[in-house]
Amino acid sequence: MRRIAVMGMSNETMLASPGHIDLSTSLFWRGEEIFGEELFLMRGVLQRLREEPDVEIVPIMLVRCRATPVFSRAQFDEVKGEILERLAAAGPLDGVVAANHGAMEVEDGESTADTELMTDVRRIVGTDVPITVGLDLHGHVTPGYLNQVDGFAVYRTAPHRDDGETGYRAADHLMRIMAGAKPRHAAVHIPLFLPGETAMTIYPPADELYAMLSDYDAMDGVVEANLFIGFAWNDLPWAGMHALVTTDGDVDLARKLAQDIAAKVWARRSEFGLQMPSYEVEEGLRKAMEMQPPVLLSDSGDNVTAGAFGDLTLVLQQALDMPELEDIVIVNIVAPGLVDQARQAGAGAMIEVDIGAEHLSRPATHRKTEAEVLATGAELNPPGVFRGSSAPWAVLKIGHVTASFHHSRLSINSPQLLEAMGIDSAAHRLYVYKVGYLHPKLEDLGFGHVLLLSDGTSNLDLTKLDYHRIVRPAYPFDPDMTWSPEQGLYDDGRG
Ligand SMILES: [Zn+2]
């Protein structure tokens, strides 16, 4: 039997989000728990490995932190340490498949936390055991990552609908290596900064650039060609886009093709942009009123699904100034003091609230107003929703606005979480979620959508944010710059 370890640690870190990650909202599957649920990338990994009659799957540990503030060093060492301990205790292994993300960061990291994790995994399993990894296209690949990992599979859709297929390919690459393939990788770091909302794979030019990848895959000697949009909000030297090509044994071919892909992306840099209706906050709220209800609105500057904190009430305060909106639901605001106050008062009570006093990621604002407590709860964890949270919450009615407040950060990007708080997810006129583009569960509702260009750490206008550590020149900050792919080229360094 060939013994293949499966593991993973996935997080998309928003460095500017205040504080550190709250690990109580992360999801952990230890050992055989990995087999118990249909887990994103991992379900494809398991599917592929189960096709092999002589493979024993050795489940290590899977950690899913979603998008969050950064790991402290102590937090990262604790979680990584448990994975490594379990890996060391697993006995002799013939291969490792990891389901990661690529944009995980630790506060004092000299490289991505993904790179650090896989460097340590390599140290434990030794140089002869092949390691492959599945990643999100919003991640990054560093020179160290290329050096430590033998095979990469990367999402090709945003919004993400191909996690299973990506995991399948990651495991398939491992099988090919065990059958004798000799992977060589090269990548190009492209100095192009794109919020995910401007590079959705259902719109040009990203749709065409991603469709092109399968032509590269089909070339002689190519294992897989990939393109990372990256995570543009982080002020880090490795932020930006990456083209990555893995070949069987031919590093020169990998170098050539990675530059080729990077050149095609660079040539179209000015074509990326928001393709959905997008407006400043006040105008967007007005436009939504002209549309067939219900309408979903994205508070894109405080996008919790990108790691923003969710504390901002800027859209709520604008909505309170617009009684003509008549009926609007605004969910997912982090305000622990307000939640405690509402829970103490209880459902049905009228309370005096101070909206905006608990801002952390932007200056506090104070707006005292009356609110009715509609409902409260100690936790929000409906069955079948991975993004639940054990944190207390409260739903308040403030004039024409119904708003949900939460004790800690959580991602609300599915209608079930609204229903679990007693909010009808389709009967109201307008719904504001703290998201950017609509995630599949919201997109599939088929409602109208307006993106609000709100302020916050996930501001979609990157030129409004402060950068000091990214490689300059870079687009769009230095719009007149010239660049050629060889400037960003590196390979796996395996000689
Ligand atoms: Zn992503």
Side-chain angles (χ1 to χ4, degrees), residues 12 101 136-138 155 160 437:
E12 183 176 76
H101 182 289
D136 188 307
L137 59 78
H138 296 120
Y155 289 175
H160 306 315
Y437 60 58

Side-chain angles (χ1 to χ4, degrees), residues 100-406:
N100 294 345
H101 182 289
M104 177 167 68
E105 310 289 351
V106 54
E107 60 185 352
D108 58 353
E110 286 171 14
S111 185
T112 64
D114 280 81
T115 306
E116 186 179 324
L117 170 68
M118 297 317 288
T119 301
D120 287 348
V121 167
R122 169 64 71 200
R123 192 167 41 72
I124 293 204
V125 301
T127 49
D128 296 334
V129 173
I131 301 172
T132 62
V133 61
L135 294 171
D136 188 307
L137 59 78
H138 296 120
H140 309 110
V141 279
T142 61
Y145 219 153
L146 291 203
N147 184 255
Q148 302 295 337
V149 170
D150 301 289
F152 292 92
V154 183
Y155 289 175
R156 291 183 175 187
T157 60
H160 306 315
R161 291 179 181 272
D162 64 334
D163 42 4
E165 291 103 296
T166 303
Y168 187 95
R169 294 203 308 278
D172 193 57
H173 294 331
L174 188 80
M175 292 298 118
R176 288 216 229 173
I177 295 165
M178 294 176 81
K182 298 266 179 281
R184 294 299 308 271
H185 323 289
V188 174
H189 184 193
I190 310 167
L192 177 51
F193 286 72
L194 300 175
E197 281 64 29
T198 64
M200 296 169 69
T201 59
I202 47 178
Y203 299 124
D207 58 348
E208 291 157 29
L209 293 167
Y210 274 89
M212 169 187 90
L213 294 177
S214 47
D215 300 338
Y216 285 88
D217 292 345
M219 288 179 190
D220 248 8
V222 173
V223 176
E224 182 164 328
N226 283 302
L227 178 61
F228 293 85
I229 303 299
F231 193 75
W233 288 292
N234 280 349
D235 185 16
L236 289 167
W238 47 85
M241 292 181 72
H242 290 82
L244 166 66
V245 174
T246 301
T247 62
D248 186 3
D250 188 346
V251 76
D252 292 331
L253 179 64
R255 291 169 66 95
K256 177 180 171 294
L257 297 181
Q259 291 180 83
D260 204 39
I261 293 169
K264 287 177 175 155
V265 172
W266 184 248
R268 305 193 68 175
R269 62 191 177 282
S270 67
E271 294 175 47
F272 292 96
L274 296 169
Q275 313 271 354
M276 70 285 274
S278 310
Y279 304 96
E280 297 298 327
V281 176
E282 184 179 352
E283 191 187 359
L285 289 167
R286 273 188 219 298
K287 292 279 182 195
M289 282 300 282
E290 295 163 10
M291 295 165 63
Q292 171 78 29
V295 179
L296 306 182
L297 297 102
S298 299
D299 181 359
S300 67
D302 197 21
N303 175 0
V304 178
T305 65
F309 203 74
D311 54 317
L312 298 180
T313 60
L314 305 175
V315 173
L316 169 59
Q317 299 205 38
Q318 181 63 56
L320 288 172
D321 286 336
M322 299 171 69
E324 67 272 26
L325 298 178
E326 293 171 11
D327 172 27
I328 178 168
V329 173
I330 301 180
V331 294
N332 208 10
I333 302 167
V334 178
L338 205 157
V339 171
D340 288 342
Q341 187 194 351
R343 293 188 74 212
Q344 229 152 38
M350 292 300 295
I351 55 176
E352 172 94 356
V353 292
D354 190 359
I355 302 291
E358 296 179 79
H359 285 184
L360 292 174
S361 57
R362 287 292 182 269
T365 56
H366 292 275
R367 184 186 181 114
K368 293 210 162 81
T369 182
E370 283 254 290
E372 181 191 354
V373 182
L374 291 186
T376 68
E379 61 173 29
L380 189 56
N381 222 344
V385 177
F386 280 125
R387 288 169 189 262
S389 158
S390 55
W393 53 272
V395 176
L396 304 187
K397 180 95 175 139
I398 313 168
H400 58 293
V401 183
T402 305
S404 85
F405 297 88
H406 304 264

